[in-house]
Amino acid sequence: MSTFTKVVLFTDTDGYAKFREEQVPLSEGTPQAMLSALTPAKACQFRQSPVGFRSQFHCTTEEQWLFVLGGEMKIGLQDGSSRNFKAGQHFYSADTLPAGATFDPKVHGHWSCQVGDEPLVTLFVKV
């Protein structure tokens, strides 16, 4: 069976944001159009960030898919690592503040920035 690789940005048990990859089975459809099971979604939202955009450390307020539609985005983690996402790439953002925690920008969250010479265009799909 074929699978789809779901890149996940999540908050680990130590409170730090990390990346992992999960395989989603493509168990439906036909050999020419393999599909996953339906995934519920609540709403979607578009964002355009100008050249030079960079956020501070923050957590995702609710789990969501993020699809890069144009430009390039970098996500940085507390451990100094980062990962770039170009147009056509995605990740599932589940880096939420742990229950009962008070946000600490030295422990929690991730930062994001626009990379290159064209604005960053993204689509958020709230789940």
Side-chain angles (χ1 to χ4, degrees):
M1 176 187 335
S2 292
T3 60
F4 170 83
T5 301
K6 177 181 177 181
V7 177
V8 181
L9 171 64
F10 72 103
T11 304
D12 206 348
T13 56
D14 61 6
Y16 287 92
K18 297 180 181 158
F19 282 106
R20 71 172 177 249
E21 293 185 356
E22 298 175 357
Q23 298 305 307
V24 176
L26 299 177
S27 57
E28 301 182 19
T30 67
Q32 293 78 27
M34 295 177 283
L35 300 168
S36 71
L38 287 174
T39 301
K42 294 190 296 189
C44 65
Q45 186 174 39
F46 295 95
R47 180 178 79 182
Q48 181 169 316
S49 301
V51 172
F53 163 79
R54 181 182 167 123
S55 75
Q56 300 297 313
F57 275 97
H58 64 281
C59 288
T60 300
T61 56
E62 60 183 316
E63 293 186 16
Q64 61 190 356
W65 284 94
L66 187 144
F67 297 90
V68 178
L69 303 178
E72 186 173 347
M73 173 183 227
K74 179 182 277 191
I75 300 292
L77 305 180
Q78 294 285 354
D79 66 6
S81 67
S82 63
R83 191 162 176 172
N84 286 31
F85 297 89
K86 296 181 180 184
Q89 295 183 310
H90 73 280
F91 63 94
Y92 186 81
S93 186
D95 175 26
T96 56
L97 189 62
T102 300
F103 181 76
D104 179 348
K106 294 181 178 153
V107 175
H108 303 115
H110 62 278
W111 57 263
S112 63
C113 73
Q114 173 277 339
V115 176
D117 59 0
E118 64 180 277
L120 172 63
V121 180
T122 53
L123 169 66
F124 298 99
V125 178
K126 311 291 184 174
V127 295

